[in-house]
Amino acid sequence: RSSQQWAILRVRATVIRAIRDWLDDNGFLLVDAPILTPAACEGTTTLFETQYFGERAYLTQSGQLYNEATISAFGRTYCFGPTFRAEKSKTRRHLIEFWMVEPEMAFADLDECMSIEEEFVSYIVQQTLAERAEELKVLGRDTGQLARVQPPFPRITYDRALELLQQSGEELPWGEDFGAPHETAIAAQFDKPVFVHRYPAKCKAFYMAADPENPELSLSVDLLAPEGYGEIIGGGQRTASLELLERRIKEYSLPREAFEWYLDLRRYGSVPHSGFGLGVERTVAWICGIHHIREAIPFPRTLGRMYP
């Protein structure tokens, strides 16, 4: 057992180094985002609240909103650090505290976002295969599956994904987001990671751009890993519309005063821009072929577990 833990942590270290190397080589500047934030980014029900000198503050769910500001100066940026989700989920795919890398890009639409994601993920996987063959052997990993992780990745719409689910006997009403069984069933149709794009706007975050051909859809995308590992990346094109952002903040019952600075990014001029977040532990779990995400981090924080 200890030899497997040793192997997983060495793979994790290589994954993190590959992440940094690829981003640095492709013109992304590391810009740190705050850990304490004044409002939600991914949903108000999964926030950890604390006090900040008499004001409410929250542990970060994502640094994305801050890097939407930094790309105005630097073009391509990313943040990399711990994120926190108070999700009451007891599944093999969820951690309460996990590490996420979040690249953001000015003048990039949804298609370019997907192209960057597939190059990024392919590099991470191939570097790990090249440097950690012995560790993957210790873990009993079928590396033939990983060798196929090369661009291009299949791209399907949300509506097409629903058709695949129906064919496999998994029913899901239109407008609902996918759960673990749905992601597994969709990814099982492909032998490499698959993009699912253009989700219904109502099941994605408030900042997603609307599809100009159908405003009920968002220019969002998830990357689903094969072999039952589910979503490893979520992202998409961010809206440049002040009016849409204001309407969504109201629809999502978010505190407008906490987002005035974010609205200013549109109020005083914006550009088309996109970005995504890759979960380190989910990616490590997939590459290593391990069953539970808690094995992909030295000190896992799961529901009800803080003791090392």
Side-chain angles (χ1 to χ4, degrees):
R1 181 61 183 165
S2 60
S3 63
Q4 291 184 331
Q5 292 171 333
W6 168 86
I8 292 167
L9 291 182
R10 288 179 70 86
V11 168
R12 179 189 171 96
T14 298
V15 166
I16 290 172
R17 187 171 70 250
I19 285 170
R20 295 289 298 270
D21 287 348
W22 190 92
L23 290 169
D24 291 346
D25 290 345
N26 284 273
F28 288 84
L29 180 70
L30 174 63
V31 180
D32 296 320
I35 297 295
L36 291 172
T37 66
C41 177
E42 295 298 327
T44 56
T45 61
T46 62
L47 290 167
F48 282 106
E49 183 177 332
T50 185
Q51 289 293 311
Y52 191 78
F53 301 104
E55 295 185 31
R56 287 183 179 180
Y58 308 94
L59 296 181
T60 183
Q61 297 168 315
S62 167
Q64 172 208 313
L65 304 187
Y66 296 96
N67 274 343
E68 286 190 59
T70 63
I71 58 172
S72 298
F74 299 110
R76 288 184 169 191
T77 64
Y78 73 100
C79 57
F80 195 4
T83 54
F84 306 85
R85 306 279 173 89
E87 294 180 290
K88 295 181 179 179
S89 300
K90 282 190 175 181
T91 80
R92 68 186 184 94
R93 296 180 180 180
H94 285 87
L95 290 171
I96 303 301
E97 176 183 344
F98 60 96
W99 282 68
M100 186 159 61
V101 58
E102 298 180 90
E104 202 72 22
M105 304 153 285
F107 301 103
D109 61 12
L110 178 63
D111 287 334
E112 184 174 356
C113 184
M114 287 190 278
S115 296
I116 289 172
E117 287 181 32
E118 65 189 6
E119 293 286 348
F120 182 47
V121 170
S122 298
Y123 179 85
I124 294 167
V125 171
Q126 298 310 318
Q127 282 297 112
T128 306
L129 280 175
E131 297 181 25
R132 296 299 176 200
E134 187 60 34
E135 287 81 0
L136 294 172
K137 183 178 179 181
V138 168
L139 295 168
R141 183 64 163 108
D142 176 6
T143 55
Q145 299 274 3
L146 298 175
R148 288 196 286 269
V149 181
Q150 301 276 6
F153 295 168
R155 301 182 182 187
I156 63 172
T157 64
Y158 172 87
D159 288 345
R160 176 56 182 155
L162 284 186
E163 292 175 3
L164 294 179
L165 284 176
Q166 189 174 35
Q167 293 168 12
S168 64
E170 291 277 358
E171 295 289 340
L172 186 72
W174 192 92
E176 295 292 319
D177 204 355
F178 301 130
H182 309 111
E183 292 175 349
T184 298
I186 294 164
Q189 310 294 318
F190 305 92
D191 64 358
K192 60 173 70 174
V194 55
F195 289 113
V196 181
H197 58 90
R198 288 174 169 81
Y199 285 76
K202 66 180 182 180
C203 72
K204 287 299 180 182
F206 73 98
Y207 48 73
M208 289 295 185
D211 185 343
E213 296 183 7
N214 183 351
E216 290 189 354
L217 302 179
S218 61
L219 296 181
S220 53
V221 63
D222 289 343
L223 182 63
L224 309 183
E227 304 174 82
Y229 286 91
E231 178 198 336
I232 55 172
I233 288 181
Q237 189 170 331
R238 323 309 190 186
T239 183
S241 166
L242 174 62
E243 184 273 333
L244 179 59
L245 261 189
E246 290 178 324
R247 188 169 75 246
R248 290 270 178 81
I249 286 173
K250 186 175 181 179
E251 289 172 356
Y252 284 62
S253 300
L254 297 172
R256 180 182 170 118
E257 63 276 9
F259 291 97
E260 285 295 342
W261 72 273
Y262 187 64
L263 291 169
D264 283 348
L265 299 181
R266 276 71 173 176
R267 183 175 289 115
Y268 301 114
S270 185
V271 300
H273 59 289
S274 301
F276 60 91
L278 176 142
V280 171
E281 287 75 26
R282 284 191 183 181
T283 303
V284 171
W286 164 48
I287 292 174
C288 290
I290 53 183
H291 177 72
H292 202 293
I293 194 171
R294 66 185 171 220
E295 299 177 64
I297 189 169
F299 302 103
R301 295 289 179 261
T302 54
L303 185 61
R305 175 179 176 175
M306 283 191 64
Y307 190 76

